[in-house]
Structure formats: C-alpha cells, structure tokens
Amino acid sequence: MSIHEECGVFGVISPQPGEVGRLAYYGLYALQHRGQESCGIVVNDDGVFASHKDLGLVGEVFDREVLTRLPQGTMAVGHTRYGTTGASNRSNCQPIEVNHQKGHMALAHNGNLSNAARLRDALELSGAIFHSTSDTEIIAYIVTKERLAAPSIEDALSAAMAKLEGAYSLVLMSPQKLICARDPHGFRPLCYGRTADGSYVAASESCALTAVGAEFVRDLEPGEILVFSRDGVVSRREHCGKTQPTPCIFEYIYFARPDSVMDGMSVHAARLRAGEILARTHPVQADVVVGVPDSGLDAALGYSRASGIPYGIGLVKNKYIGRTFIAPGQDHRLDQVKIKLSAVRESVVGKRVVLVDDSIVRGTTSGRIVSLLREAGAREIHLRVSAPPFLNPCYYGTDIDSRENLIACHHSVEEIAQIIGADSLGYLPVEQLRALIGGRYCCDACFTGRYPTPVPADSRKDRFERKLSEKSV
Ligand code: SF4
C-alpha cells in the first residue's frame, strides 16, 4: 500500500498535424497510477518543440487553458512521474528536453539505472554539467554524446544502450522520429498500438492505448528499439537476446492497472491467480473475503472463488485524494489511513474476515486497516498477502530502498501478525511467484535477493542530492 509506482511514458506520431498534445493528455490520464508527483508533455510542431511540465496530477497540471495553448503537431511525448532517483522538484520533471547542434530531443523514461552513479561520475569528470538529479538526464547526456559520431539518433541510442545497466523503458522524440526502447532485461513494460487515422502510439501500459482508441499491436521485446517516422516502423534488435529477460513481477502484483496486458499476460488474471494460490496455501474458516483497494481486489476475488467464501465490499477508498491533499504528520498516521479508506460495517460486522492486500512494507498501514475493520465490528481478521515478504531493496525503479524499513527483515510471520493485530497472516509462497505469469522467468529480487544485474552500493532516492551536499561542505 505504501510503495510508490515508478513512472508512465507515452508517445504519439501522426501522419497529419493535429491535437497530439491532447492525445498525450488522455494517455497520461490513463497512466496516472504510475506516478503522481509530476507530469509533462512535449509537442513537436514541424521540428519546433513546445512543452508544459509541472508538479501535480495530470488533471491539475493540464487545465483547459494549458491544453489550448499547446500547438498542433505530428508528434508528442508525455510522462507521469514518481521519482525513484532525484527529489520531487520542477527540475526533475519530464520529458527532458535537449537542445544541441545535432538537433532537439525530448526524452521520457520509466525505470532506474543501476549504474547511474558510475556513469554520472564519469560524465562529470569529462566536463558534463547536470541540471537535475534524475538519472534520465544521464541517459539524455550519453545519447547526445554518442550522437556526435553516430549517423542517426537511433544509432546514438543503440550505442548509449550498450553503456546503460538496469531498468529503462524510453520514449524519445527527435524532430523527425519517435523512438521507443526497452532495456534488454525488460524490467518495465512498453507497448505500442495504432489508431484508425494511422497514428502510432506507444505507452507503458496497454490501458493507455485503449484510452486513446488505439488498437494494441504488441509489446516491445526486451532490448528492442522501435523507430517510427514518415517512412514507417523499423525494429532494431541488436540488444535483444543478449541476456535473460526479467520483467518485474511486482508490476503484475501491484503497479500496473488490472485492465492492462503486459508481455501477453493479463494483470487481472495474474492477481486472480495470486488469490487462488493463497486460498490453497493459506486456507482458513471465514465468512467473507475483503480486498484492500485497489490492487488487493482482484486477488480477493481469486481467493473467494477458490475457497468458496463469499466476496464482499468491506473497504471503500476515497478516490479524490490528489497531490494537493495535505497529509497529516507522522503523529497522525491513523487519521491519514482513515481519510483514504473506510470500512463498510454491513459487510464485516460479526464476521470472520479474510483480508487480502498486495504487500506489507513497514506494517503500519496494514495495522491501521486491521484496526478499521475491528472498529467496524469484524470478529476475526485473517490477512492474506498476494506477494511474498519483502526482504531486499529494489534498484530498478521502485522506492523499496532500505532493509531497515522492511518489517519482514526483522520479524517472523507470527510476530508480524501480532504487531498488526491480525488473527493470522499468510504470504504468497515465493516458489509460487512465477505461477502468476505462466511460469515465466522474471525479476523477483525484492523477495529473493537474486538481482539480475550488478547492484549499486547506494540506492537511496536522494543519493545525487546527498552527494552534492557532501561536495559543498
Ligand atoms: Fe520488481 Fe522487485 Fe525486481 Fe524491483 S526488485 S524490479 S520491484 S521484482
């Protein structure tokens, strides 16, 4: 519940000038769940870029006036951000724009480089000056540097990819081309589709294609570069097949929208399966199964179907809490959960409840939710979690960054149940994780510690800010 999503990227290229900025706006709306800190759109009007970026939700940053001011064009890229590297400030808003004598470029990135610190050090020592603390600027810098010798922007991107490690799904716009790329591990999703008027649309999740009326064509392969231009679509695969693809399993459990399909697997179906597995591995006598909105709902349905225990709406989420919501301080965490969630007394009073949630990080939120249900009259609460215990940080674009804060690193399952006040607790068995996506290989490092790439010594979100302040002492 308290893990933050990473980012959402969106791109469109149209055969005729039109309201591509508005299309990007609708696409970003569908990707809002992937990042709520900031957002931005860059429109390409015959090689001239116009942009608008700011802190806030898509609906807050892009009002009618801003949208009307965006010019018509043939291409646009958009981004919604929850920063996993770099602070939440305007300089870290995306898409990043680069003006260089070899041409303009706008870049939107989802993921996190695991060798960002090393790359940034090397670039700074060769004279680079960074304006932000996000690792996306590192990618922009390397692509621009490679562009000096490369015959095309896609060649420059390909040369840059040979230097990048970790997670990146990119949408890059040059004056003439829209280019998408997915890292060779395929940590983060990226797909594309086509609209009836012949526009191509790329997005982090297929739900954004559906939102703009585009027909899904396919996911990018891990390592693939796709180049869209007036000449059509060209796929480059020089980085494909060089390593075992390891898409993030937690996208299916928590990050992605249930109506998305990623790498041919439905997110909703994966969550249902998680619930079914929990019902088999952690059965309990109960009267009702309740999911924690939003990502616990599908797994709760799966548990209910597999166990035969009726499904009920036991918790309701306030959908209208945006970035402008002034959260109560640490001392008032209880109030914060109560403002976001409330219990439906009629569903739980006097009942033995199976409560299904997607994860437990510190345990604080889970404890609050258990209290809510108890106050509403639940007789017993049996918490079932549709993921295994978090035991390790993530270096690929989520803010699971410290073992200190992970309750499962310090307590047994029985102790955690006691701390959060549940009558029993059961996690998805780690050996069943891949069953959620048909047995495919995936990244499960935050649960197992098996990292698909070398990992950095410092993964804190503010590592570049800390370095800057250390230097200025
Ligand atoms: Fe996903 Fe966990 Fe791997 Fe991060 S470490 S990419 S959250 S599975």
Side-chain angles (χ1 to χ4, degrees), residues 250-263:
F250 206 54
E251 287 275 355
Y252 293 91
I253 295 168
Y254 174 75
F255 293 132
R257 246 173 58 167
D259 52 333
S260 287
V261 176
M262 303 183 309
D263 294 321

Side-chain angles (χ1 to χ4, degrees), residues 32 35-40 54-57 61 79-82 88-89 92-94 323:
Q32 185 74 84
Q36 294 100 46
E37 273 186 9
S38 67
C39 59
D54 209 341
L55 300 175
L57 299 173
V61 171
H79 190 264
T80 58
R81 178 171 196 265
Y82 172 77
S88 171
N89 57 41
N92 284 331
C93 292
Q94 293 192 38
R323 203 188 68 88

Side-chain angles (χ1 to χ4, degrees), residues 109-361:
H109 168 213
N110 171 209
N112 222 45
L113 300 181
S114 48
N115 63 342
R118 197 156 26 93
L119 291 172
R120 186 170 168 131
D121 281 351
L123 286 166
E124 284 188 339
L125 289 172
S126 69
I129 297 167
F130 286 91
H131 297 97
S132 75
T133 51
S134 97
D135 58 352
T136 311
E137 197 180 2
I138 297 170
I139 302 176
Y141 217 108
I142 296 176
V143 173
T144 305
K145 227 173 151 188
E146 295 294 341
R147 182 73 182 94
L148 297 176
S152 68
I153 182 78
E154 55 269 33
D155 287 314
L157 176 60
S158 178
M161 283 171 66
K163 297 183 171 148
L164 308 178
E165 284 173 10
Y168 54 90
S169 281
L170 303 171
V171 179
L172 186 158
M173 182 171 72
S174 77
Q176 304 294 338
K177 295 169 187 165
L178 185 77
I179 303 169
C180 304
R182 196 171 172 200
D183 69 72
H185 284 94
F187 283 106
R188 299 288 155 228
L190 190 60
C191 61
Y192 82 100
R194 210 172 165 185
T195 65
D197 73 351
S199 298
Y200 285 102
V201 178
S204 294
E205 289 183 36
S206 61
C207 64
L209 304 183
T210 311
V212 300
E215 198 169 320
F216 176 85
V217 175
R218 65 176 175 85
D219 297 280
L220 269 77
E221 277 180 39
E224 185 177 8
I225 301 172
L226 263 188
V227 186
F228 300 92
S229 69
R230 283 205 182 110
D231 304 326
V233 190
V234 175
S235 165
R236 295 182 49 155
R237 292 164 191 260
E238 59 266 33
H239 294 289
C240 296
K242 293 204 168 148
T243 186
Q244 171 70 52
T246 51
C248 167
I249 189 69
F250 206 54
E251 287 275 355
Y252 293 91
I253 295 168
Y254 174 75
F255 293 132
R257 246 173 58 167
D259 52 333
S260 287
V261 176
M262 303 183 309
D263 294 321
M265 301 293 307
S266 152
V267 174
H268 170 68
R271 289 181 189 167
L272 276 180
R273 215 162 293 142
E276 289 162 8
I277 293 169
L278 280 170
R280 253 195 347 261
T281 53
H282 298 290
V284 64
Q285 297 287 324
D287 306 305
V288 66
V289 182
V290 161
V292 178
D294 292 317
S295 39
L297 298 177
D298 309 65
L301 189 60
Y303 195 104
S304 165
R305 284 183 186 168
S307 64
I309 303 169
Y311 176 83
I313 308 285
L315 289 163
V316 174
K317 185 179 170 187
N318 183 344
K319 295 189 173 69
Y320 303 101
I321 296 178
R323 203 188 68 88
T324 45
F325 170 67
I326 298 161
Q330 280 295 106
D331 302 346
H332 301 282
R333 289 187 81 114
L334 177 67
D335 299 334
Q336 194 168 335
V337 171
K338 276 189 167 171
I339 291 164
K340 288 182 180 173
L341 280 179
S342 57
V344 181
R345 190 180 145 77
E346 290 66 26
S347 301
V348 299
V349 66
K351 291 186 179 161
R352 299 167 297 173
V353 177
V354 177
L355 175 66
V356 182
D357 203 354
D358 52 65
S359 53
I360 302 178
V361 185

Side-chain angles (χ1 to χ4, degrees), residues 3 6 167 187-188 246-251 255 390 392-398 400 433 442-447 450-452:
I3 300 163
E6 331 93 324
F187 283 106
R188 299 288 155 228
T246 51
C248 167
I249 189 69
F250 206 54
E251 287 275 355
F255 293 132
F390 279 127
N392 306 282
C394 171
Y395 300 100
Y396 310 118
T398 78
I400 311 166
L433 255 181
C442 59
C443 178
D444 53 17
C446 46
F447 308 113
R450 290 191 299 257
Y451 291 99

